[in-house]
Amino acid sequence: MAKKRNKTSGKVPVVTPCSRCPLRKIEIFRKFTAEELAFVSSFKSGELVLDAGSTIFSEGTNSPHLYTLLSGWAFKCKTLEDGRRQLLNFALPGDFIGLQASIFDTIGHSIEALTDVVLCVFPREKLWALYEKHAGLAFDVTWLGAREESILGDYLITVNQRRAGERIAFVLLHLFQRARQLGLVRGNTLALPLTQEHLADTIGFSLVHTNKTLKQLRKTGAFKWTGSTFELVDEKKLAAMVGHVAPVGGIRPFI
Amino acid sequence: MAKKRNKTSGKVPVVTPCSRCPLRKIEIFRKFTAEELAFVSSFKSGELVLDAGSTIFSEGTNSPHLYTLLSGWAFKCKTLEDGRRQLLNFALPGDFIGLQASIFDTIGHSIEALTDVVLCVFPREKLWALYEKHAGLAFDVTWLGAREESILGDYLITVNQRRAGERIAFVLLHLFQRARQLGLVRGNTLALPLTQEHLADTIGFSLVHTNKTLKQLRKTGAFKWTGSTFELVDEKKLAAMVGHVAPVGGIRPFI
DNA sequence: CGTTACCTTGAATCTCCTCAATACACGTGG
DNA sequence: CCACGTGTATTGAGGAGATTCAAGGTAACG
């Protein structure tokens, strides 16, 4: 893990200015007005670089900061007394992290880095100024919250009503599509930084059963997944297993 | 069902003005400033009265209206091709209905009235004015969205990681606590307008298994539930079965 | 008094879980 | 270089938990 750090540590001292944010080039993100860009630039107070496996937020705590994910993957999860845990959703570049903490003064889930990550840091106390001065950005924040709700609803029905194979197909397709929107897919191949245990905790099955179901799914030839390399061979076939995935499409804000 | 209508039909012609909204008296709702109250009053364009069983929103559609629930119970649900369905969350008086439709231009779930309901109607097109002129109310909208997300997260872990008995205990306790906050509980008794089938579709079990598990739970004596009357006999005992329920507490907005 | 909606129960079956063991890749220290 | 621990993936066997099918019961309503 220490070795991995080297990959990013060279960039650490230089904070990416919002005007040159690499995410702004991605077409699914909406364009800012000059005023909005100026505000967001002043809103951003720094960057946080963390290793894979780090905890970004702990369930039940609070923080003076809000984050957006600039690069890397993370996931939100809740843990039960006896150690069972549930992954709630994944965070990919452009996603907002810690909204609940700002709004309720305590966050209902932990957030953990799945890969090395870079986070943009915003002081929570200025969120109010955003609402007062930039209705468009305020609307964006609501949009991002509503999107989380929408994704959780999709997870809830998938994970509660579908069989093992369908659940796995849903999660894989969902993540692939989100990653593709962000330009993280080359050809049909994606660096998918999940273990089977993460997947098991997402769909609510034991690791063993997840593994056995995955074995069945691989036989269909719809995808290949070895190590951290995921290749979607036949998207339609995978989609057919799911029933339907209603992606939250359209142009989206990213702060 | 037609008979039930009589109960409310006398009130239909008279639209409750926001200044005399009965919900405003309930202490968990935050107080409006005079300006906010005036804006909300002008924002509200009418009331919609529907019988139990009516569909308020259909999955995948849109509407020129936003609603808040003034009285009665409703639930949000998603349906699969083969008819399996998943209840996502319940709506009680003061809850916002149709936010997703306003934000994404299409709603990801249906909403159905569980009892006869009265809804306050707001024109969607004025939502933007709310964001521009009343940052406080805009923040409230975000708050309500984040609360939905928080509740869905609780459902997701409960329904995915806990056993049958725990799931049922969670839902019953959750609903009881929400209803109590709204003054719907007399003594320890609540009019709970759910069937066992609704409960089954909430927790993700078959009706048969839900019924059998419920039978076991009743033996503990923690609650009584016959017909639409629910009595919480021993709250601590019920809470102990759940593990924990983290209620989204504190003062809340209602538009 | 028949219909409808909801609740209850039993029996057979299948899905998924737990326990347990093995295999492989990787990095560490001897 | 090899021995070892650690994290991840894989496989088998037996059992608990949930499903489905099927039948009956009760209360409300017209």
Side-chain angles (χ1 to χ4, degrees), chain B residues 62-117:
Chain B
N62 197 350
S63 161
H65 300 130
L66 276 171
Y67 305 104
T68 53
L69 190 52
L70 186 55
S71 70
W73 292 51
F75 64 88
K76 309 184 177 185
C77 79
K78 279 175 172 279
T79 308
L80 256 38
E81 320 73 50
D82 59 7
R84 285 176 293 180
R85 72 174 179 177
Q86 173 70 43
L87 302 208
L88 298 179
N89 190 8
F90 296 88
L92 271 67
D95 286 336
F96 211 67
I97 287 180
L99 179 61
Q100 271 191 33
S102 298
I103 292 195
F104 299 129
D105 215 66
T106 172
I107 195 164
H109 50 261
S110 299
I111 304 181
E112 191 174 311
L114 210 42
T115 64
D116 296 348
V117 294

Side-chain angles (χ1 to χ4, degrees), chain B residues 33-68:
Chain B
T33 65
E35 293 77 26
E36 285 171 342
L37 184 57
F39 179 84
V40 171
S41 293
S42 73
F43 190 16
K44 177 172 172 177
S45 63
E47 283 178 11
L48 178 61
V49 180
L50 293 172
D51 287 335
S54 304
T55 298
I56 302 171
F57 265 102
S58 277
E59 191 172 343
T61 64
N62 197 350
S63 161
H65 300 130
L66 276 171
Y67 305 104
T68 53

Side-chain angles (χ1 to χ4, degrees), chain A residues 78 80 84-86 103-104 131 135 142-143 147 149 152 154 156-157 159-162 203, chain B residues 78 80 84-86 100 103-104 131 135 142-143 147 149 152 154 156-157 159-162 203:
Chain A
K78 279 175 173 278
L80 256 39
R84 284 177 294 180
R85 72 174 180 177
Q86 172 71 44
I103 292 194
F104 299 130
Y131 270 79
T142 308
W143 192 101
R147 176 168 170 272
E149 183 203 337
L152 284 187
D154 282 343
L156 198 53
I157 187 169
V159 119
N160 228 351
Q161 302 292 339
R162 295 188 188 278
I203 62 176
Chain B
K78 279 175 172 279
L80 256 38
R84 285 176 293 180
R85 72 174 179 177
Q86 173 70 43
Q100 271 191 33
I103 292 195
F104 299 129
Y131 270 79
T142 308
W143 193 101
R147 177 168 171 273
E149 182 203 339
L152 284 188
D154 282 343
L156 197 53
I157 187 170
V159 121
N160 229 352
Q161 302 292 340
R162 295 188 187 278
I203 62 175

